[in-house]
C-alpha cells in the first residue's frame, strides 16, 4: 500500500506569499504533526489538500487518487476538522446531521450517536452557541462517523482547555489503531505533537524545512549548550540557529561527533524538544 497522502512539488502563489514547491508523504497508520510559525503556510497547504484553493503547480494524491480529478471519491474518505466553522450555525446538531449524513455513503448512525453521547454534545442548542471545543468535537464526530481514513485537522487544539486537548489526543490515538487510518494535524502547540505525532513536518516561509519520523529526528538532531569561548570559526558551520547571550551559546547540530571533537567534549549535548527544533530551524532555514 502506498502513501495515504502525497504532495509533490506543490506550488501556490499569492501576492506577497508563496508555497514554494513543497513535497511530503504520509503513510497509513500514522499521525503527522504539521508545524510552523504563524503565516508559515499550514492552512494554505491544508486548503490545497482539501481542494479549497486552486493549485498553481505540482500534484496532490490522496489514497493514491488525484485530489482534483477524483475529488468526490477522495472527500468521502477524508474527515476535515478545521478552525473556521463550516456548519450551518442556525441549526441544532440533529438538524445539521440530517444535512451532512446523506452526503456520505459510509455513514454509520450508531457510531455517530455513540460519539455524540461520549462528547456530551447538546442536542437542542444552535451550533452558533457552541464553544470552540464543542464545535471541534462535533466536526470530529462527523469525521469519525463516516469512517474517514484520513483525518485532516487544522489547529484542532488551539483555544481548547487542557482536558479537552488531552481527550482529543486520546481519540486520535484510538483512530490510528486502525492501521488504514492516518491523521494530519497542524499545530503550533508543539507539546501536543511531542505526545502523539509519529512524523513531524516543519514548514517555514512556504518551504518544507524537514519531514521526518520522530525516531529520525531524535537520531539526527541535537541541541548543544556551552560557554561562548567554545565558538571557533571551525565550529560555526556546524551550528544551526546559533543563539548567543551573556550566559553562553546554544544551537542545533546534526553532526554530534564533529561538534564533540571540535569542543573537546566541553559542550552539553541534549535531545531537542520539538519546540527547540522548530525555533532553531526557523532561525536558520538552510538546515
Ligand atoms: P497560522 O498559524 O497563523 O494559522 P499558517 O501557517 O496557517 O498560519 P497561512 O494561513 O497558510 O499560514 O498563511 C500563509 C500566508 O499566506 C500568510 O502570509 C497569509 O497572509 C497568506 N494568505 C493566505 N491566504 C491568502 C489569500 N487568499 N490571499 C493572499 N494571501 C493569502
Amino acid at each position: 500500500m502506498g502513501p495515504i497522502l502525497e504532495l509533490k512539488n506543490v506550488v501556490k502563489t499569492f501576492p506577497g506569499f508563496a508555497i514554494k514547491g513543497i513535497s511530503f508523504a504520509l503513510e497509513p497508520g500514522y499521525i503527522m504533526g504539521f508545524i510552523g510559525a504563524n503565516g508559515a503556510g499550514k492552512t494554505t497547504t491544508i486548503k490545497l489538500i482539501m481542494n479549497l484553493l486552486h493549485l498553481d503547480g505540482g500534484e496532490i494524491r490522496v489514497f493514491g487518487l488525484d485530489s482534483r480529478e477524483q475529488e468526490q471519491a477522495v472527500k468521502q474518505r477524508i474527515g476535515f476538522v478545521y478552525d473556521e466553522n463550516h456548519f450551518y450555525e442556525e441549526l441544532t446538531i440533529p438538524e445539521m446531521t440530517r444535512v451532512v449524513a446523506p452526503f456520505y455513503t459510509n455513514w454509520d448512525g450508531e457510531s455517530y450517536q455513540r460519539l455524540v453521547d461520549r462528547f456530551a454534545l447538546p442536542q437542542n442548542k444552535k451550533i452558533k452557541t457552541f464553544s470552540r471545543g464543542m464545535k471541534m468535537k462535533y466536526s470530529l464526530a462527523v469525521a469519525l462517523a463516516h469512517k474517514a481514513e484520513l483525518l485532516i485537522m487544522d489547529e484542532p487544539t488551539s483555544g481548547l482547555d487542557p482536558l479537552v486537548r488531552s481527550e482529543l489526543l486520546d481519540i486520535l490515538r484510538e483512530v490510528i489503531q486502525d492501521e488504514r487510518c492516518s491523521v494530519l494535524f497542524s499545530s503550533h502547540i508543539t507539546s501536543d505533537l511531542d505526545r502523539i505525532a509519529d512524523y513531524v513536518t516543519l514548514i517555514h516561509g512556504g518551504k518544507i524545512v524537514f519531514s521526518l519520523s520522530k525516531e529520525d529526528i531524535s537520531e539526527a538532531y541535537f541541541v548543544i549548550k556551552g560557554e561562548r569561548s567554545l565558538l571557533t570559526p571551525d565550529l560555526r558551520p556546524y551550528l544551526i540557529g546559533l543563539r548567543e547571550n551573556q550566559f553562553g551559546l546554544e544551537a542545533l547540530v546534526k553532526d554530534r561527533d564533529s561538534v564533540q571533537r571540535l569542543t573537546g567534549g566541553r559542550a552539553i549535548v541534549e535531545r531537542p524538544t520539538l519546540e527547540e527544533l522548530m525555533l532553531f530551524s526557523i532561525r536558520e532555514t538552510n538546515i
Side-chain angles (χ1 to χ4, degrees):
M1 197 169 170
I4 215 161
L5 170 67
E6 193 171 18
L7 280 75
K8 287 188 203 160
N9 296 318
V10 165
V11 175
K12 174 75 196 173
T13 309
F14 291 130
F17 179 81
I19 296 287
K20 297 164 187 142
I22 65 171
S23 303
F24 63 86
L26 172 59
E27 300 292 330
Y30 294 106
I31 298 180
M32 177 180 279
F34 190 38
I35 61 172
N38 291 130
K42 301 181 296 296
T43 300
T44 304
T45 304
I46 285 177
K47 285 185 175 167
L48 287 167
I49 297 170
M50 291 306 298
N51 204 6
L52 298 173
L53 283 176
H54 173 78
L55 195 62
D56 294 336
E59 193 187 356
I60 300 177
R61 299 190 80 78
V62 190
F63 316 112
L65 306 172
D66 185 286
S67 69
R68 269 63 192 157
E69 284 166 17
Q70 284 151 303
E71 179 176 4
Q72 286 317 315
V74 164
K75 286 205 171 159
Q76 285 287 329
R77 297 163 68 189
I78 294 185
F80 187 28
V81 178
Y82 78 131
D83 214 15
E84 298 153 47
N85 179 37
H86 52 303
F87 297 121
Y88 298 87
E89 297 251 309
E90 288 300 323
L91 303 183
T92 61
I93 284 192
E95 289 163 349
M96 186 63 212
T97 306
R98 278 195 287 278
V99 177
V100 290
F103 174 77
Y104 296 108
T105 48
N106 252 349
W107 186 262
D108 177 345
E110 274 179 33
S111 60
Y112 168 75
Q113 200 50 54
R114 269 200 305 279
L115 289 159
V116 168
D117 293 343
R118 174 175 175 180
F119 294 158
L121 291 170
Q123 295 296 300
N124 48 13
K125 281 186 165 176
K126 288 185 178 178
I127 290 173
K128 71 176 178 193
T129 66
F130 283 16
S131 69
R132 256 197 119 248
M134 286 151 88
K135 285 180 182 168
M136 191 280 295
K137 284 176 172 175
Y138 179 59
S139 70
L140 188 60
V142 170
L144 299 179
H146 72 83
K147 310 251 174 281
E149 291 153 67
L150 174 60
L151 280 186
I152 298 188
M153 314 181 87
D154 194 10
E155 304 273 357
T157 53
S158 77
L160 300 185
D161 69 53
L163 198 72
V164 177
R165 266 178 34 215
S166 168
E167 223 179 357
L168 170 68
L169 301 186
D170 288 343
I171 293 164
L172 297 186
R173 262 190 225 105
E174 284 170 33
V175 167
I176 58 151
Q177 294 309 308
D178 179 343
E179 287 169 5
R180 291 169 311 137
C181 294
S182 297
V183 179
L184 179 72
F185 178 143
S186 86
S187 184
H188 45 242
I189 307 175
T190 49
S191 57
D192 289 342
L193 302 173
D194 270 320
R195 283 175 59 189
I196 59 156
D198 304 296
Y199 286 82
V200 178
T201 299
L202 172 63
I203 185 166
H204 184 61
K207 285 188 193 160
I208 300 296
V209 180
F210 60 77
S211 182
L212 293 170
S213 70
K214 285 248 278 292
E215 282 102 79
D216 286 346
I217 289 172
S218 67
E219 278 170 27
Y221 293 98
F222 304 90
V223 169
I224 66 148
K225 295 176 183 172
E227 291 171 13
R228 289 175 72 180
S229 59
L230 295 179
L231 186 60
T232 57
D234 285 348
L235 182 68
R236 182 65 188 89
Y238 291 93
L239 306 182
I240 300 159
L242 172 64
R243 186 163 60 187
E244 284 183 90
N245 59 32
Q246 72 220 64
F247 306 111
L249 64 83
E250 279 186 332
L252 194 67
V253 301
K254 278 180 152 177
D255 185 347
R256 176 175 54 170
D257 294 344
S258 298
V259 167
Q260 297 272 44
R261 183 174 47 77
L262 287 165
T263 57
R266 287 186 297 134
I268 299 166
V269 180
E270 294 170 351
R271 300 249 178 241
T273 61
L274 279 182
E275 183 158 325
E276 286 173 321
L277 195 57
M278 184 167 131
L279 291 175
F280 285 113
S281 304
I282 287 175
R283 214 177 286 137
E284 179 147 341
T285 43
N286 60 343
I287 192 166

